[in-house]
Amino acid sequence: MKVFLIQFVILIFSASVFSQSTFGLEIRTSRNVTHNSSKIVGGSYGLSGYKVTKEGNPMTFSYSIALVFSPNTGSMLKIHGGGIKNGRIIDLTEYDDTFSSYSYANVDLPYNYLQLIPSYAYNIVKGKFNLPFELALQ
């Protein structure tokens, strides 16, 4: 594995010496409302269960930092690393086998995960007009 890493570093630095390439950093962040289009009705476990009475729309937060390599003016290779937090906000009623029920409001069920995303971007440049296309494996 160390040999592969050393070869990769040598390739990147030799490519930057023999061409007009550039390296850079890209930082992204976002915050938006996630509109849940699916409906959770309820579920059960053993002799207990729950029924969802209302579903809200939580906030989604994301951040990432990317290492950017541009071998020419039209192409860019990026590797983004970052995290995302989203989830669901629901109101629910829980019941059990003794015919008891409990109501809960604004239960936040967050999903926190990290991701590493490689991508390739190509810029179509015509004078002052610039149209970027980006393809990422997510």
Side-chain angles (χ1 to χ4, degrees):
M1 188 66 178
K2 288 182 181 181
V3 174
F4 175 73
L5 182 62
I6 292 169
Q7 289 175 345
F8 180 73
V9 170
I10 290 171
L11 176 67
I12 294 297
F13 284 116
S14 65
S16 65
V17 169
F18 295 117
S19 67
Q20 297 294 324
S21 63
T22 59
F23 287 95
L25 290 176
E26 179 178 285
I27 299 172
R28 291 183 183 180
T29 183
S30 71
R31 178 182 170 201
N32 55 7
V33 176
T34 303
H35 297 281
N36 289 319
S37 60
S38 62
K39 180 86 172 152
I40 300 175
V41 177
S44 65
Y45 47 93
L47 299 174
S48 301
Y50 62 93
K51 180 180 179 184
V52 175
T53 56
K54 180 183 164 193
E55 187 174 357
N57 297 317
M59 294 296 294
T60 297
F61 302 98
S62 69
Y63 61 90
S64 70
I65 187 165
L67 177 63
V68 179
F69 173 67
S70 180
N72 54 40
T73 59
S75 299
M76 274 193 276
L77 299 169
K78 302 178 189 179
I79 298 180
H80 275 274
I84 295 178
K85 177 190 178 233
N86 62 4
R88 296 186 178 274
I89 298 175
I90 58 175
D91 293 353
L92 61 96
T93 301
E94 182 182 22
Y95 56 89
D96 60 18
D97 58 346
T98 62
F99 302 107
S100 299
S101 64
Y102 307 96
S103 295
Y104 302 97
N106 295 326
V107 177
D108 191 5
L109 305 169
Y111 306 116
N112 294 307
Y113 51 94
L114 297 175
Q115 58 184 357
L116 184 66
I117 303 171
S119 66
Y120 172 76
Y122 183 75
N123 292 322
I124 298 174
V125 180
K126 297 274 187 179
K128 292 183 179 181
F129 181 73
N130 183 10
L131 183 62
F133 288 98
E134 188 167 346
L135 178 65
L137 299 173
Q138 198 161 347

